[in-house]
Amino acid sequence: MGMGKTDTWVRSVSVDWDDPQLVSLLRRSENWSIDNRGGYTPQHVQVYLGWSNSVGRSATLVWERDTSVVLEATFPLARGEQVRVDKHLGHRVRTLWGVVVEGREGNREEDRRKGIHVYWLQVLNKPGDDY
């Protein structure tokens, strides 16, 4: 797919879980309610594994900024996995192409009961790009 340089660059990305901004976000996220999470309203999205036309699976986009996205999902995503995320915006669909940087089990009791994991994705296409 002509992703050679990008693959190498993405693999070298790591999440600094001790970064003060991320620590603050995660601390706030532990008490998020389902309808409004820290000023970002969760969005239902479809996640497709790889760049192929795999069957989409439902997940929740809980945070987005620049080229970073945080998803909640009840299915496993491996570190380094390439994913396509489709966000439905009215009659339009915005597609994000990304790579899973990190993942962890949800911290809340409700998360553990439902088997929710939290995944941090690096978005490869620029915000605002529509494909």
Side-chain angles (χ1 to χ4, degrees):
M1 281 273 162
M3 299 291 292
K5 279 187 177 177
T6 305
D7 284 346
T8 304
W9 180 73
V10 169
R11 271 198 294 273
S12 68
V13 170
S14 64
V15 173
D16 179 4
W17 292 103
D18 297 318
D19 179 282
Q21 283 188 315
L22 184 54
V23 168
S24 173
L25 167 70
L26 294 174
R27 191 172 296 126
R28 287 194 319 267
S29 73
E30 290 171 9
N31 300 313
W32 282 342
S33 64
I34 196 66
D35 53 0
N36 189 343
R37 301 190 167 208
Y40 190 95
T41 303
Q43 274 185 279
H44 293 288
V45 295
Q46 291 293 114
V47 177
Y48 300 83
L49 304 182
W51 304 135
S52 67
N53 290 327
S54 62
V55 175
R57 300 182 74 175
S58 293
T60 305
L61 191 153
V62 295
W63 186 80
E64 180 178 11
R65 181 179 299 156
D66 300 326
T67 59
S68 297
V69 165
V70 177
L71 291 180
E72 284 186 349
T74 55
F75 51 89
L77 290 172
R79 186 183 205 168
E81 183 125 45
Q82 298 173 332
V83 296
R84 185 182 104 210
V85 178
D86 283 354
K87 295 170 52 175
H88 294 273
L89 308 168
H91 296 295
R92 291 177 46 236
V93 174
R94 178 163 172 241
T95 298
L96 304 174
W97 301 94
V99 173
V100 178
V101 177
E102 283 289 352
R104 65 166 174 77
E105 186 178 3
N107 288 331
R108 293 173 288 154
E109 181 61 35
E110 179 185 354
D111 291 346
R112 285 194 276 278
R113 268 198 323 274
K114 294 181 176 179
I116 291 175
H117 281 69
V118 179
Y119 296 99
W120 188 280
L121 274 60
Q122 178 175 10
V123 177
L124 303 178
N125 55 316
K126 297 186 304 262
D129 282 353
D130 288 314
Y131 290 87

